[in-house]
Amino acid sequence: MDNFDRQILSILQRDASVPLKELAEAVNLSTTPCWKRVKKLEDEGYIRGKVVLLDPVRLGLGLSVFVQLKTQHHDNAWLEHFAETVVRFEEVVEFYRMSGEWDYMLRVVVSDIAAYDRFYKKLITSTEGLSNITSSFSMEQIKYTTALPLPR
Amino acid sequence: MDNFDRQILSILQRDASVPLKELAEAVNLSTTPCWKRVKKLEDEGYIRGKVVLLDPVRLGLGLSVFVQLKTQHHDNAWLEHFAETVVRFEEVVEFYRMSGEWDYMLRVVVSDIAAYDRFYKKLITSTEGLSNITSSFSMEQIKYTTALPLPR
DNA sequence: AGTGAAAGAATCACTTA
DNA sequence: TAAGTGATTCTTTCACT
């Protein structure tokens, strides 16, 4: 992981549609060595995949809801079962196990409050052992990026 | 936005490295009409871009911190200035204006608690008018996807 | 790490339903 | 208005230096 690699990752995580030739020029390599580095970064797991990002608002999915959850169960078996259930819901785009007051946090993407309510009912009927839930509604997504802060 | 388009988006938002020929086969079109649809979806703003997703843990960026903020200022000028400042920080990968108790929420990606503390100091010295801040630490990212729940 | 050739994909003009 | 065919152009990939 040298400087070349970091530059390559930095460009590709912002725009993966640049042709290899341009990418190579940008980092001052010729195509083949640059290509070999990209392949290596894929093989070594730095690059997890290439995807297209969609516009949630354009698709009528402009509402993000953050759901914070508490449970009494703190054993691994319960967590595994719970995680499996929650992960299956397509509306759940992010899911974290937290320290502090709340045990879990989700980000749920839906079209509107009515759709969120449907999701909420689905969630509480399909999981057990939750002692507390709170939902916080986002009014506006001011920033959303998949680009990680790479050390330069 | 018909069924073809939805299928195309559904595939590309999970894997944008599939060749057009395969994509076309998967949705039962030949390459050109399929290609035209992809271009149209880009032009019309459904597709915001193509990116490579990196593995945060592999890069030593395994800590997500959720930062909730309150302010006294509820005018547009203050928000704009505040948003501009916060958006500039690369560590901030998500930034929402919220309803309810907290006015804003951030997701911040850092390497460890020490790095978060550096970010925290940077944040509070570069913004003004914040009346309350709380940080919640994620122990584990159980799910993270950029794929939106498209209606089928 | 680089060159140049071969293989493979994307793009386009044009045709057809 | 939308889909298909085939030719052209551009990109990626690879053997070799």
Side-chain angles (χ1 to χ4, degrees), chain B residues 18-21 32 35-36 39:
Chain B
V18 297
L20 200 62
K21 200 189 150 199
T32 301
W35 176 76
K36 279 179 185 160
K39 290 296 141 191

Side-chain angles (χ1 to χ4, degrees), chain B:
Chain B
M1 252 306 235
D2 60 11
N3 237 5
F4 284 119
D5 288 336
R6 269 187 289 275
Q7 280 188 82
I8 289 170
L9 292 180
S10 167
I11 293 171
L12 291 182
Q13 75 170 341
R14 286 184 177 81
D15 183 5
S17 66
V18 297
L20 200 62
K21 200 189 150 199
E22 261 179 60
L23 178 66
E25 273 165 22
V27 303
N28 280 306
L29 281 173
S30 53
T31 58
T32 301
C34 183
W35 176 76
K36 279 179 185 160
R37 277 168 183 274
V38 174
K39 290 296 141 191
K40 198 160 166 251
L41 290 164
E42 285 169 357
D43 288 347
E44 290 177 353
Y46 292 101
I47 293 175
R48 290 203 315 185
K50 195 196 286 188
V51 300
V52 136
L53 298 178
L54 305 184
D55 186 327
V57 174
R58 197 79 176 80
L59 289 158
L61 293 166
L63 182 59
S64 275
V65 184
F66 290 88
V67 185
Q68 290 171 295
L69 304 160
K70 277 185 212 187
T71 176
Q72 308 98 330
H73 305 275
H74 294 283
D75 56 295
N76 217 279
W78 186 87
L79 163 55
E80 261 178 45
H81 181 71
F82 173 67
E84 240 174 62
T85 309
V86 172
V87 157
R88 274 207 196 93
F89 293 121
E90 288 195 312
E91 298 95 329
V92 176
V93 294
E94 300 181 55
F95 179 13
Y96 301 87
R97 187 163 59 78
M98 305 295 291
S99 76
E101 201 188 348
W102 296 93
D103 295 317
Y104 300 97
M105 165 125 95
L106 316 178
R107 181 163 71 95
V108 175
V109 168
V110 287
S111 55
D112 52 31
I113 300 210
Y116 178 68
D117 196 46
R118 287 194 292 278
F119 167 81
Y120 181 85
K121 283 174 184 153
K122 212 165 58 173
L123 178 69
I124 56 171
T125 57
S126 57
T127 54
E128 231 138 321
L130 296 177
S131 59
N132 204 349
I133 306 190
T134 179
S135 306
S136 307
F137 293 80
S138 157
M139 296 287 98
E140 188 190 355
Q141 190 175 54
I142 301 173
K143 179 176 184 179
Y144 175 80
T145 181
T146 55
L148 300 177
L150 301 179
R152 78 243 32 268

Side-chain angles (χ1 to χ4, degrees), chain A residues 19-21 31-32 35-36 39:
Chain A
L20 202 62
K21 200 191 152 199
T31 58
T32 301
W35 176 76
K36 280 180 184 159
K39 290 295 142 192

Side-chain angles (χ1 to χ4, degrees), chain A residues 35-145:
Chain A
W35 176 76
K36 280 180 184 159
R37 279 168 183 273
V38 173
K39 290 295 142 192
K40 198 160 165 253
L41 290 165
E42 285 170 355
D43 288 347
E44 290 177 353
Y46 292 101
I47 294 175
R48 291 202 313 184
K50 195 195 287 187
V51 299
V52 137
L53 299 177
L54 305 185
D55 185 327
V57 174
R58 197 79 175 81
L59 289 159
L61 293 166
L63 181 60
S64 275
V65 184
F66 290 89
V67 185
Q68 289 171 296
L69 304 160
K70 276 185 215 187
T71 175
Q72 307 99 328
H73 304 276
H74 294 284
D75 56 295
N76 218 278
W78 186 87
L79 163 54
E80 260 178 48
H81 181 72
F82 174 67
E84 238 174 65
T85 309
V86 172
V87 157
R88 275 207 195 93
F89 293 120
E90 289 196 312
E91 298 94 330
V92 176
V93 294
E94 299 181 56
F95 179 14
Y96 301 87
R97 187 164 57 81
M98 306 294 292
S99 76
E101 201 188 347
W102 295 94
D103 296 316
Y104 301 98
M105 166 126 94
L106 317 178
R107 181 164 71 94
V108 175
V109 169
V110 286
S111 54
D112 52 31
I113 300 209
Y116 178 68
D117 196 45
R118 286 194 293 277
F119 168 80
Y120 181 85
K121 283 174 185 154
K122 211 165 58 172
L123 179 68
I124 55 169
T125 58
S126 57
T127 55
E128 231 138 321
L130 297 177
S131 59
N132 204 350
I133 306 190
T134 179
S135 307
S136 307
F137 293 81
S138 158
M139 298 284 97
E140 188 188 356
Q141 189 175 55
I142 300 172
K143 180 176 183 177
Y144 175 81
T145 181

